Amino acid sequence: MIDVLKSLFRPAPAAPEIAPELAVAVLLVEAARADGHYNDADRHAVDALLAEMFDLPAPEALRQQAEAAQQGAADLVRFTRVVKTGLEHDQRIALIEALWRVVLVDHHRDPHEDALLRHLAPLLGLDDRDSAQARQRVQARAGLG
């Protein structure tokens, strides 16, 4: 009985450290999968963004690692926490813009994609306005206004 009580006051084992690059990649994969269709165009968009964001010559390995991590994750909080604490505000703005780029790769906004980005913005320490402005910039560049 005493051991059970003692175990309640022991610190929880630390979660394994997640690299910010992996956390970002997981969120990009999650956005690409949000509409229920994950195809070559989505994978290519994620690869292109990872290459651009992290100056990677071969981003496929990071994307594949992110795909496995995303599928095995119960939720996204541990990934958004890494991003929120590890990236500056302007970097998180760039991330939400990248998430919108992935979502809009098919030139269509699915309600599940909208819901995901509304959910992610505050977890990343951003507000709805930050996300809406990022979406508008992406749409304007893609001629989707």
Side-chain angles (χ1 to χ4, degrees):
M1 175 77 160
I2 300 269
D3 289 335
V4 171
L5 291 174
K6 284 182 183 178
S7 71
L8 293 175
F9 295 103
R10 282 189 205 127
E17 189 66 30
I18 299 167
E21 294 84 2
L22 178 59
V24 166
V26 166
L27 297 177
L28 291 171
V29 167
E30 180 75 17
R33 288 181 168 164
D35 65 358
H37 305 284
Y38 188 59
N39 56 34
D40 287 339
D42 294 317
R43 283 185 276 281
H44 178 71
V46 170
D47 288 347
L49 285 164
L50 291 174
E52 179 184 321
M53 295 169 89
F54 300 113
D55 196 28
L56 298 174
E60 298 82 7
L62 179 57
R63 177 189 33 88
Q64 291 168 353
Q65 186 181 3
E67 290 168 346
Q70 184 265 347
Q71 281 188 314
D75 61 36
L76 298 173
V77 172
R78 67 187 187 141
F79 303 108
T80 58
R81 186 177 302 130
V82 169
V83 170
K84 185 177 178 180
T85 60
L87 300 180
E88 297 295 325
H89 185 262
D90 60 328
Q91 293 171 313
R92 288 180 276 131
I93 293 288
L95 173 58
I96 200 81
E97 194 168 310
L99 291 167
W100 277 114
R101 286 172 61 186
V102 168
V103 162
L104 294 171
V105 75
D106 61 0
H107 301 278
H108 173 71
R109 282 176 57 193
D110 182 88
H112 294 97
E113 294 167 331
D114 280 341
L116 174 66
L117 290 187
R118 274 194 314 275
H119 175 71
L120 287 178
L123 292 174
L124 296 172
L126 303 172
D127 59 32
D128 289 336
R129 180 181 158 124
D130 293 327
S131 182
Q133 289 174 337
R135 177 184 44 80
Q136 291 166 355
R137 286 190 298 274
V138 170
Q139 287 176 313
R141 272 186 249 133
L144 300 172

